[in-house]
Amino acid sequence: MPTLTPASIMIERKMTKTTQSDIATIDYAVREHRSLWVDAWRRLVSSRTAQAGLFIVSFLILTTVLAHFFWEYNPKTDLDYTLKLKPPTLIPNEEVPSVHIFGTDKLGRDIFRRVVHGGWNTLMVGIIAVTISLVIGGLLGLLAGFFESIEMTRLEKILLLVFLGGLMGFLPAWIAEQPVQIVLFALLGGAAAMFENFLAGRSARVVLFAAVGLLIGGGLALFVSPYTAIVTGLLGGLIGAALSLQLGGSLFSNITMRAMDIVLAFPSYLLAIAIVAFLGTGLEKGMVAIGIVSIPVFARLVRSSVLSVVQKEYILAAQSVGEGHGRIIFRHIFPNVLSPITVQTTLGIGSAILAAAALGFLGLGAVPPEPEWGAMLGDSYKYLSSGAWWAVVFPGVAIMLIVLGFNLLGDGLRDALDPKMKV
Amino acid sequence: MSAESSVLVKVQNLTKYFPINKGILFQSHIGDVKAVDDVSFEIYSGETLGLVGETGCGKTTVGRTILRLYEPTSGHVYFEGIDLMSLNESGMRAFRKRMQMIFQDPYASLNPRMTVGSIVAAPLDVHGVPDGKDKKERIDELLDMVGLNPDFVNRYPHEFSGGQRQRIGIARALAVNPDLIICDEPISSLDVSIQAQVVNLLEELQGRLGLTYLFIAHDLSMVRHISDRIAVMYLGKVVELADRNEIYLRPLHPYTQALMSAVPVPDPDIAETRHRVILEGDLPSPAHPPVGCNFSTRCPLAKEQCFTADPEYREIVPGHWVACYFADQFVK
Amino acid sequence: MARYVIRRLIATIPTILGVTIVVFMFLRLIPGDPAIAMLGEHATEENVSRVREQFGLNRPTFLDREALKQGDFKGFINTQYFIYLGRLLRGDLGDSIHRRIPVAATLMQRFPATMELAFFSMFVAIIIGVPVGIISAARRNSILDSTTMVGSLIGVSMPIFWLGVMLIMLFAVILQWLPAGGRLSSSVEFTPTTNFYLIDSLLTFNIPAFVDSFQHIILPAIALATIPMAVTARMTRSSMLDVMQEDYVRTARAKGVTERLVLYRHALKNAFLPIITIIGLQFGLLLAGAVLTETIFSWPGIGKWVYDSILARDYPIVQGGTLLIALIFVLINLLVDVSYAYLDPRIHYD
């Protein structure tokens, strides 16, 4: 009876000679089963970049959280004109009666305190923005990649076409001011999916559905005006024809990715700035803007990861066993795309923080007097020529440090989770 | 097989075309890859039907379409008389208990993030076997059946060798007691010594559990060993089907003859005296199969009629089916 | 090949249309009356209605249903968006609210400044990034390699504006070697033709002007180039490493080809493809960072102008500037795609 040979473990550990300690390790491995996650974790904590990143990030997160909850700070009352722009003072003297490790800013506020409290805002923006991108972008990418390769069930097709029908029907419905058209077009979409084999592949089918669409769009609009009916009838006919076409699973993916392309067409900072410029300032709006800007990044990443997983035979095996789409996504696809997503999320937090700082710098981020590192930089850089370097250096170093921490961590994660190292 | 054996699976005029689409947003249909083109055969209960052919001939697609992993473009698959194509999703799911598949790539056919136990238990989960002692016992039983230590239940696929992973795949296929197992090139990726082990295991399981196999492969010598009957496919069509000995001793289709002549024979004296048939030309694209007989572009015997009309697939001698105009010549 | 280019061009049309819609919508997303938002609450009635007229804010936004009901098909599409689109196609980006000068003309005037900075920064980034990457790859795991990798990681983590400010502080305030901002000292005599100062001054053999322009451009260029430099260095290194592990490199070495030739003739050529893609993409991102850098260094380009306009709520300028930069970005991406297809013989033009 075949047993687990040491050979299979040796492949994993890439050894050519077995030493005493190796045998001990093999024994350990034989006794303790190791999942790929445990392997990756071990690699992560042994890599120096990851250690550095982990240290920086945990330290900063810890101090920020503790400060937020335990160190009182009311930015609105923090103000002392007598201490305007004082350099870092460790020992109180006549001129500066209190300790200011990082000096004071243009309103006499202690920079150290503001840096520590500003960290909370900065972190919040980074994490929430990335969460928005991850959830929305990830979902879109998942669905796009999944249905590109796996045929939709009848129910899923019906849902999709009902949705598309309703969406497309929005236009003629709006023109004729008849919301009922949306419902009718949605139903038409559902019918197209339910009777997908009816006259399939023949032009008669297209004509039939186009005619029904024409009736829906034009017929009802006759109550409004004959001219409106012409336009909506035409639109309805087009919609009907589109709905009747053979539904390729990649239709959803195509549409979604095109939409992503449009967002990607804008340079990220510019789009975020533009969104905030028009929506108004404030941390929440900044979070949303940055989050929206990064949605395509996650969508593309998740989609390509899902595509590569979906082609593996164990997905086919799951289908042949009878597993439903939900179970396949949850148990098979999800755990296997987690690696690149984790890496991107970590790196994404770093770039979201940079973007937030940029917005703050331009005065488009946190509403003053809320402390925020970018805003602190923006406030103070004009005082540089008069020599007040501390107001600019310290917040900047803080930003750099936290972003560096996340980048190091992300790099370490990427190496640890690199599938090339596994057999 | 004797006439008393019942027909387990009947494949009738099965066709699977993969559409070729071009276009950016709404795609237009410009052609088809004719992976499986009007294929018919029967699989008898308890037998092993070998399905051979070169890469790209459609044999894997046949297997997957029988299992309805691909929706057939047309045609029928009857399982114990019931037309699988007529079933809806829930009906089909019930039938999935009765037919399973073993895959070619032992590295890609197991989810690397699931333990062996969960992989093997997956079919049980799907078909509603509740968690508990019974399930655990069943998993142990399955692992034992394929020759793996049940203690390995909590290990991950990457801790096993290729041959062992294939066994895990077999255990998974056996979980719900299927009648039919489609083996899609299960040994092609394994080392030769391991191949024999796995094949022996498959044979032993067949005897023990009364399984029926559709054994898809391209290695003729191994197929000969394990099959009762053999079907030969070329470019989406079955060109010959017969008892295994019959097909080796009396191949009637020129393609089969070429294949047989290429199988190495251990005895050098006999090998010297054999006549090698070497095929000229390249495999045509399945998107543009030749007019007439698919094999006509490479056939040494091709005559005018071969280029105009497809030869009929007929039972030339009881139990022996061929699709060739010249088959009668070789019947002695 | 030409067909491929044309097909890609056509594929960008929906994207460009989408861009125009998004930019168009910005103005209309402002809570309240956009005209008042732009002019301020104390604006006169006359000014408000002038602005409303200019933007057609009295017309329906996208489509005029009422006109359609009357059978007026022309009136149907005589709406804000289509008026806007029509004007765009004619190159009319509207007028600045406050200064009443045409946006398009002014954008064109300030465009070369931004482009010059962008090109020069990209040049600096490539000149330093690529060789650093190659050398790091060649001497893998050496001290040099680790230093450059850590250095590039730090480079990517720094906020551009902070780096810019630091550079100003060091070189302009403390050391006083270089000017703190602007493009040209007022004391220098110079008449630009193409508005690319570096080129113009060379063309007219105006050496003092050249030196002065160079002094002004070097700091913002370094600040702007840091991130692309870091990314290029890393990308070059990893691409070279991938290629050097390939079998054909091993064959070359086995044949006895010198390490240097192996590096340049065999490895670099094949490693270059992803590098070029990255460089192209970085250039696009560079434009995005223009707003920040130009603001700090008082560089008279599009970015600074857009930023000033945001503060002044002169939205036509913001719209026009954003649109222009977005369009350039789309163009650059298109160029990258096409050059990628051109350079990689494996890619079909399907």
Side-chain angles (χ1 to χ4, degrees):
Chain A
M1 194 166 293
T3 53
L4 185 65
T5 62
S8 54
I9 317 240
M10 280 166 76
I11 296 173
E12 186 197 353
R13 304 197 34 101
K14 289 193 252 198
M15 290 187 290
T16 46
K17 271 196 326 180
T18 327
T19 63
Q20 266 313 100
S21 63
D22 293 333
I23 296 187
T25 327
I26 294 175
D27 254 321
Y28 171 77
V30 168
R31 278 184 284 116
E32 307 275 319
H33 40 87
R34 295 148 62 161
S35 80
L36 291 171
W37 294 117
V38 171
D39 268 352
W41 175 254
R42 292 226 176 110
R43 265 201 296 277
L44 181 71
V45 294
S46 60
S47 121
R48 271 191 299 178
T49 31
Q51 281 169 358
L54 212 53
F55 174 71
I56 296 178
V57 170
S58 344
F59 172 71
L60 285 171
I61 292 184
L62 204 61
T63 35
T64 320
V65 171
L66 285 176
H68 181 80
F69 288 111
F70 294 114
W71 192 6
E72 288 298 313
Y73 181 60
N74 187 345
K76 298 194 181 56
T77 59
D78 185 14
L79 205 323
D80 190 346
Y81 286 112
T82 63
L83 290 176
K84 246 169 75 148
L85 290 177
K86 295 294 175 207
T89 2
L90 293 166
I91 309 168
N93 54 31
E94 213 183 273
E95 211 185 306
V96 186
S98 37
V99 178
H100 295 287
I101 312 180
F102 286 169
T104 60
D105 69 359
K106 70 175 186 197
L107 289 180
R109 302 177 284 203
D110 179 26
I111 292 183
F112 177 69
R113 194 167 193 178
R114 281 176 67 80
V115 165
V116 171
H117 280 93
W120 175 259
N121 289 330
T122 307
L123 261 180
M124 272 302 107
V125 173
I127 293 180
I128 295 186
V130 166
T131 309
I132 294 178
S133 320
L134 175 62
V135 168
I136 301 182
L139 195 63
L140 287 174
L142 175 68
L143 292 176
F146 186 75
F147 288 118
E148 248 181 82
S149 323
I150 295 191
E151 276 184 55
M152 292 177 141
T153 60
R154 174 152 279 184
L155 180 64
E156 286 160 351
K157 284 189 199 173
I158 294 179
L159 278 172
L160 181 65
L161 276 186
V162 163
F163 176 72
L164 274 180
L167 194 69
M168 288 197 277
F170 200 73
L171 187 58
W174 181 80
I175 292 181
E177 290 177 274
Q178 291 174 325
V180 68
Q181 284 198 23
I182 300 181
V183 177
L184 287 174
F185 278 112
L187 286 174
L188 183 63
M194 271 209 292
F195 301 108
E196 61 175 335
N197 288 319
F198 183 63
L199 292 179
R202 308 235 289 267
S203 25
R205 178 183 165 90
V206 180
V207 171
L208 175 66
F209 276 93
V212 176
L214 186 85
L215 272 170
I216 298 178
L220 281 176
L222 279 173
F223 286 105
V224 179
S225 117
Y227 305 102
T228 313
I230 297 179
V231 173
T232 53
L234 237 113
L235 282 172
L238 282 172
I239 294 177
L243 287 173
S244 74
L245 291 173
Q246 288 301 88
L247 179 64
S250 45
L251 180 67
F252 177 78
S253 158
N254 274 340
I255 297 179
T256 316
M257 288 301 127
R258 289 252 128 235
M260 295 294 107
D261 283 344
I262 293 183
V263 179
L264 276 176
F266 291 88
S268 53
Y269 277 15
L270 199 61
L271 184 61
I273 290 174
I275 294 180
V276 170
F278 290 101
L279 285 184
T281 59
L283 272 182
E284 317 78 42
K285 305 204 177 84
M287 288 178 205
V288 168
I290 299 175
I292 291 180
V293 164
S294 295
I295 288 180
V297 172
F298 280 93
R300 282 197 170 183
L301 180 70
V302 172
R303 173 178 168 266
S304 72
S305 310
V306 167
L307 279 179
S308 69
V309 166
V310 149
Q311 285 166 10
K312 297 268 168 65
E313 283 178 345
Y314 59 82
I315 300 288
L316 204 59
Q319 285 180 299
S320 75
V321 154
E323 297 189 33
H325 286 179
R327 190 186 150 108
I328 291 181
I329 292 182
F330 200 65
R331 297 202 74 182
H332 296 284
I333 297 190
F334 198 67
N336 284 297
V337 298
L338 225 41
S339 314
I341 293 180
T342 317
V343 173
Q344 184 59 42
T345 309
T346 313
L347 295 173
I349 296 183
S351 49
I353 291 178
L354 274 179
L359 285 179
F361 178 78
L362 293 174
L364 300 171
V367 178
E370 276 292 315
E372 196 263 313
W373 295 346
M376 288 165 72
L377 272 173
D379 281 342
S380 315
Y381 90 96
K382 43 183 167 297
Y383 299 107
L384 208 56
S385 40
S386 36
W389 55 271
W390 50 92
V392 171
V393 167
F394 291 116
V397 167
I399 299 176
M400 189 186 83
L401 217 53
I402 201 172
V403 175
L404 183 65
F406 276 107
N407 280 343
L408 283 170
L409 189 58
D411 249 20
L413 274 172
R414 187 191 287 143
D415 287 335
L417 294 169
D418 186 351
K420 281 195 220 141
M421 300 223 214
K422 296 196 237 326
V423 172
Chain B
M1 297 310 302
S2 55
E4 297 121 39
S5 318
S6 54
V7 172
L8 183 65
V9 175
K10 181 173 154 117
V11 173
Q12 194 173 56
N13 304 113
L14 190 63
T15 307
K16 177 64 187 167
Y17 291 171
F18 291 103
I20 308 175
N21 291 323
K22 266 191 92 149
I24 308 174
L25 203 60
F26 290 102
Q27 300 172 315
S28 57
H29 183 182
I30 60 172
D32 292 301
V33 172
K34 300 186 172 63
V36 177
D37 199 0
D38 195 9
V39 159
S40 306
F41 57 85
E42 290 169 335
I43 309 180
Y44 295 106
S45 181
E47 75 160 344
T48 300
L49 177 65
L51 185 58
V52 297
E54 48 191 298
T55 319
C57 72
K59 49 193 199 297
T60 300
T61 313
V62 165
R64 293 183 184 180
T65 313
I66 291 180
L67 238 44
R68 228 176 141 185
L69 290 173
Y70 297 151
E71 285 296 320
T73 313
S74 69
H76 302 270
V77 175
Y78 297 97
F79 193 94
E80 281 186 349
I82 301 180
D83 184 2
L84 291 178
M85 305 312 158
S86 67
L87 298 173
N88 62 8
E89 268 143 40
S90 48
M92 192 63 210
R93 184 173 299 174
F95 259 91
R96 293 207 183 282
K97 269 201 277 194
R98 314 197 52 193
M99 42 188 200
Q100 285 294 301
M101 196 166 196
I102 306 174
F103 296 88
Q104 176 179 359
D105 187 348
Y107 294 90
S109 57
L110 304 177
N111 186 341
R113 311 245 173 220
M114 283 172 78
T115 60
V116 164
S118 351
I119 292 177
V120 171
L124 299 173
D125 291 334
V126 172
H127 294 281
V129 174
D131 289 329
K133 201 162 78 85
D134 288 336
K135 190 188 214 174
K136 203 178 163 321
E137 276 177 10
R138 176 74 179 144
I139 297 176
D140 287 347
E141 183 190 348
L142 287 166
L143 288 176
D144 188 57
M145 236 195 283
V146 297
L148 288 173
N149 188 339
D151 285 339
F152 296 163
V153 158
N154 285 323
R155 290 186 197 280
Y156 289 85
H158 67 272
E159 304 179 66
F160 294 93
S161 68
Q164 288 165 325
R165 290 189 212 207
Q166 211 58 311
R167 291 169 188 267
I168 298 172
I170 296 175
R172 170 176 60 193
L174 294 174
V176 282
N177 282 321
D179 300 305
L180 171 74
I181 294 191
I182 299 186
C183 311
D184 188 357
E185 306 213 43
I187 52 177
S188 311
S189 325
L190 302 175
D191 290 333
V192 178
S193 52
I194 311 288
Q195 286 183 5
Q197 284 181 18
V198 172
V199 168
N200 286 339
L201 174 64
L202 286 173
E203 286 182 318
E204 183 209 327
L205 288 169
Q206 182 175 41
R208 224 203 305 179
L209 302 171
L211 297 165
T212 306
Y213 289 146
L214 175 64
F215 195 88
I216 304 174
H218 58 255
D219 178 355
L220 288 164
S221 36
M222 192 56 89
V223 170
R224 176 182 187 175
H225 173 75
I226 194 177
S227 311
D228 299 309
R229 295 190 303 150
I230 298 180
V232 179
M233 273 187 81
Y234 183 80
L235 214 62
K237 288 186 181 297
V238 175
V239 297
E240 189 162 3
L241 186 148
D243 262 12
R244 74 146 165 242
N245 292 324
E246 171 81 4
I247 217 168
Y248 273 84
L249 296 175
R250 201 162 62 153
L252 297 179
H253 191 282
Y255 180 62
T256 322
Q257 290 166 354
L259 284 182
M260 292 304 148
S261 76
V263 177
V265 164
D267 189 335
D269 295 324
I270 303 184
E272 260 181 26
T273 58
R274 279 203 319 170
H275 168 60
R276 261 305 294 273
V277 177
I278 301 184
L279 295 175
E280 316 269 306
D282 290 317
L283 189 67
S285 153
H288 303 288
V291 177
C293 174
N294 276 358
F295 191 55
S296 54
T297 55
R298 301 168 79 188
C299 182
L301 304 175
K303 295 266 171 36
E304 215 182 290
Q305 56 192 257
C306 304
F307 294 104
T308 44
D310 244 338
E312 189 200 338
Y313 179 68
R314 58 207 164 97
E315 193 171 11
I316 196 166
V317 160
H320 194 144
W321 303 67
V322 198
C324 179
Y325 292 115
F326 308 108
D328 302 286
Q329 290 178 16
F330 298 102
V331 179
K332 273 174 215 125
Chain C
M1 180 68 196
R3 275 185 28 192
Y4 178 75
V5 175
I6 293 180
R7 208 160 337 122
R8 292 296 287 127
L9 262 172
I10 296 183
T12 56
I13 290 181
T15 311
I16 295 179
L17 268 176
V19 167
T20 60
I21 295 182
V22 171
V23 172
F24 169 77
M25 283 308 294
F26 280 156
L27 188 59
R28 279 82 190 165
L29 282 176
I30 301 175
D33 189 339
I36 295 186
M38 283 189 267
L39 291 170
E41 274 149 9
H42 306 291
T44 62
E45 273 297 314
E46 182 218 335
N47 275 337
V48 170
S49 44
R50 172 178 63 87
V51 167
R52 293 188 69 88
E53 203 38 57
Q54 176 186 356
F55 282 94
L57 289 175
N58 300 316
R59 305 277 313 136
T61 321
F62 281 110
L63 290 170
D64 191 351
R65 309 184 270 204
E66 295 304 320
L68 179 63
K69 271 198 250 189
Q70 258 73 302
D72 180 4
F73 283 106
K74 265 194 109 176
F76 179 47
I77 54 174
N78 185 24
T79 57
Q80 287 186 40
Y81 179 64
F82 286 101
I83 296 177
Y84 175 70
L85 201 60
R87 289 203 187 129
L88 272 188
L89 288 170
R90 267 174 282 148
D92 177 10
L93 287 169
D95 294 340
S96 150
I97 293 284
H98 299 298
R99 311 253 217 90
R100 311 211 196 178
I101 47 176
V103 172
T106 324
L107 272 181
M108 280 304 117
Q109 215 180 19
R110 300 180 78 113
F111 181 68
T114 304
M115 279 296 122
E116 183 179 34
L117 181 60
F119 278 124
F120 190 74
S121 308
M122 206 60 222
F123 174 69
V124 169
I126 297 178
I127 280 264
I128 299 184
V130 172
V132 165
I134 296 180
I135 298 178
S136 295
R139 286 170 224 254
R140 191 186 181 179
N141 289 330
S142 65
I143 307 255
L144 180 71
D145 186 27
S146 318
T147 327
T148 44
M149 282 308 103
V150 170
S152 62
L153 208 51
I154 293 181
V156 184
S157 313
M158 268 195 285
I160 300 182
F161 45 94
W162 185 70
L163 178 63
V165 169
M166 289 289 108
L167 284 173
I168 293 181
M169 186 172 82
L170 183 62
F171 288 101
V173 177
I174 298 181
L175 293 173
Q176 303 218 334
W177 285 351
L178 294 167
R183 213 177 164 197
L184 197 65
S185 310
S186 37
S187 51
V188 174
E189 277 218 17
F190 182 59
T191 29
T193 38
T194 65
N195 238 351
F196 281 85
Y197 287 10
L198 287 176
I199 300 180
D200 285 345
S201 51
L202 279 179
L203 286 177
T204 56
F205 297 111
N206 189 344
I207 301 299
F210 180 74
V211 170
D212 192 66
S213 320
F214 190 82
Q215 285 179 323
H216 278 95
I217 205 176
I218 190 73
L219 278 184
I222 292 180
L224 205 51
T226 309
I227 293 188
M229 194 192 307
V231 172
T232 308
R234 298 193 100 210
M235 202 47 219
T236 310
R237 174 182 179 272
S238 73
S239 183
M240 285 289 287
L241 282 179
D242 278 343
V243 158
M244 293 208 301
Q245 282 175 5
E246 296 278 342
D247 283 338
Y248 57 83
V249 170
R250 219 190 290 168
T251 314
R253 283 207 185 105
K255 278 199 290 184
V257 179
T258 57
E259 190 65 19
R260 194 170 221 212
L261 261 181
V262 168
L263 217 54
Y264 291 115
R265 176 102 53 84
H266 294 273
L268 192 59
K269 259 206 307 190
N270 289 290
F272 229 70
L273 204 53
I275 300 174
I276 290 194
T277 318
I278 292 289
I279 290 178
L281 291 173
Q282 290 299 310
F283 188 75
L285 296 175
L286 210 73
L287 287 177
V291 177
L292 294 164
T293 329
E294 290 184 9
T295 311
I296 303 173
F297 288 95
S298 307
W299 188 265
I302 301 179
K304 179 167 192 316
W305 200 40
V306 168
Y307 174 62
D308 289 338
S309 309
I310 292 179
L311 292 182
R313 305 209 192 295
D314 200 338
Y315 290 135
I317 300 179
V318 181
Q319 269 190 321
T322 311
L323 189 65
L324 180 63
I325 296 185
L327 284 178
I328 298 177
F329 197 59
V330 170
L331 191 65
I332 293 177
N333 284 340
L334 182 66
L335 280 172
V336 169
D337 274 344
V338 170
S339 64
Y340 198 86
Y342 179 69
L343 290 168
D344 189 345
R346 291 176 294 178
I347 295 184
H348 289 302
Y349 303 141
D350 277 326

